């Protein structure tokens, strides 16, 4: 069974600080099939990163994605007040075409 | 502007069936891979089903055998029907567009969601 494990489960930081969120895949068929989303309370998810490191349209450059093997990282360089939200990683598998989400990381204001 | 608007949620009894709709505006429903994703109260995101532009349908193991995803091209609308509902199906159900035709580039457009509550 394919599993995405996000860590930490929650993270308390202050505006202006740097946030590093992790997502580990149990296995990976294509590292480019990894996306990150932000979800604010009561809102639908918002695509931030696709292809593990490509910013989606309109996403500020303080958001960046990287990876090494089966470990993926979302970095927010300088936290703005609107960045405090829950973040999810997602992987797409081709055969069969299914999607898996991580359990999420809650980024809270310290 | 591309918009997805879900409807059809509400309170249903365990064992009943429900069909949710997602009206698509600004693009053709048949031109993209379309998905349903759900989120139980206070929980994370769970992918439910997809219908590809070519018509192929795919389901999460958790709903396989009691879920049917479909689309009506004349109405430009996506549907999902879920049968034999249990309390585990209580969630906000979102429809979402898969950006890429080939490969994967994330779900770039999401609806606002429709709430389904399964309770007696």
């Amino acid at each position: 069974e394919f599993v995405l494990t996000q860590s930490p489960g929650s993270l308390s930081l202050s505006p202006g600080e740097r946030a590093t969120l992790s997502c580990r895949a149990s296995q990976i068929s294509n590292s480019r099939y990894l996306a990150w989303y932000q979800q604010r309370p009561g809102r639908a998810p918002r695509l931030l990163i696709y292809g593990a490191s490509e910013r989606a349209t309109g996403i500020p450059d303080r958001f960046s994605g990287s990876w090494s093997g089966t470990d993926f990282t979302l970095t927010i360089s300088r936290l703005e007040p609107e960045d405090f939200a829950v973040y999810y990683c997602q992987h797409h598998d081709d055969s069969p075409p299914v999607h898996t989400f991580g359990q999420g990381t809650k980024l809270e204001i310290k | 502007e591309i918009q997805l608007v879900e409807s059809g949620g509400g309170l249903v009894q365990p064992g009943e069936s429900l069909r949710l709709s997602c009206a698509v505006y600004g693009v053709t429903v048949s031109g993209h891979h379309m998905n349903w994703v759900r989120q139980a109260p206070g929980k994370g995101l769970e992918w439910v089903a997809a219908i590809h532009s070519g018509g192929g349908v795919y389901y999460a193991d958790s709903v396989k055998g009691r879920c049917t995803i479909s689309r009506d091209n004349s109405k430009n609308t996506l549907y999902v029907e879920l049968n034999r509902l249990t309390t585990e199906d209580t969630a906000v159900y979102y429809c979402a567009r898969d950006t890429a035709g080939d490969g994967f580039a994330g779900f770039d457009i999401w609806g606002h969601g429709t709430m389904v509550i399964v309770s007696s």
Side-chain angles (χ1 to χ4, degrees):
Chain A
E1 181 193 359
F2 181 84
V3 176
L4 287 175
T5 303
Q6 292 189 240
S7 61
S10 63
L11 186 58
S12 292
L13 293 170
S14 299
E17 291 193 295
R18 181 186 186 91
T20 303
L21 285 64
S22 296
C23 173
R24 172 167 288 177
S26 56
Q27 56 189 320
I28 205 83
S29 57
N30 188 328
S31 60
R32 306 301 289 179
Y33 287 178
L34 196 288
W36 288 93
Y37 298 85
Q38 175 194 69
Q39 188 178 34
R40 295 174 177 144
R43 304 287 297 273
R46 173 193 179 198
L47 178 65
L48 298 175
I49 301 286
Y50 65 93
S53 62
E54 301 293 324
R55 271 189 301 276
T57 302
I59 301 302
D61 61 6
R62 64 179 182 273
F63 291 90
S64 63
S66 61
W67 80 99
S68 174
T70 58
D71 291 332
F72 296 83
T73 301
L74 174 69
T75 301
I76 311 171
S77 59
R78 293 172 310 280
L79 286 166
E80 298 286 343
E82 61 267 27
D83 298 337
F84 292 92
V86 180
Y87 292 83
Y88 295 95
C89 57
Q90 176 198 24
H91 179 258
H92 166 72
D93 207 330
D94 260 343
S95 296
V98 297
H99 298 269
T100 304
F101 287 94
Q103 82 277 21
T105 290
K106 186 174 184 179
L107 182 54
E108 301 174 304
I109 298 178
K110 191 172 184 179
Chain B
E1 183 189 4
I2 301 170
Q3 269 194 303
L4 307 177
V5 181
E6 302 95 336
S7 60
L11 177 63
V12 292
Q13 304 255 353
E16 290 187 340
S17 298
L18 189 68
R19 189 177 82 155
L20 305 178
S21 302
C22 171
V24 178
Y25 302 96
V27 292
T28 57
V29 68
S30 60
H32 302 271
H33 300 345
M34 299 296 295
N35 298 266
W36 287 96
V37 176
R38 68 184 179 182
Q39 186 170 35
K43 302 297 185 182
L45 302 171
E46 179 187 18
W47 175 76
V48 174
I51 182 166
H52 282 196
S53 55
V57 295
Y58 308 95
Y59 301 97
D61 288 343
S62 60
V63 299
K64 202 172 288 183
R66 60 186 189 95
C67 180
T68 303
I69 188 172
S70 61
R71 67 190 182 208
D72 184 330
N73 296 342
S74 67
K75 295 181 179 179
N76 215 35
T77 299
L78 175 73
Y79 302 98
V80 68
E81 181 169 351
L82 206 51
N83 303 313
R84 303 191 301 278
L85 288 163
T86 74
T87 56
E88 303 287 304
D89 297 312
T90 293
V92 174
Y93 285 74
Y94 296 100
C95 58
R97 182 185 79 158
D98 194 331
T99 313
D102 291 321
F104 175 65
F107 295 172
D108 66 333
I109 307 292
W110 295 67
H112 55 84
T114 187
M115 183 75 204
V116 173
I117 299 173
V118 183
S119 175
S120 55

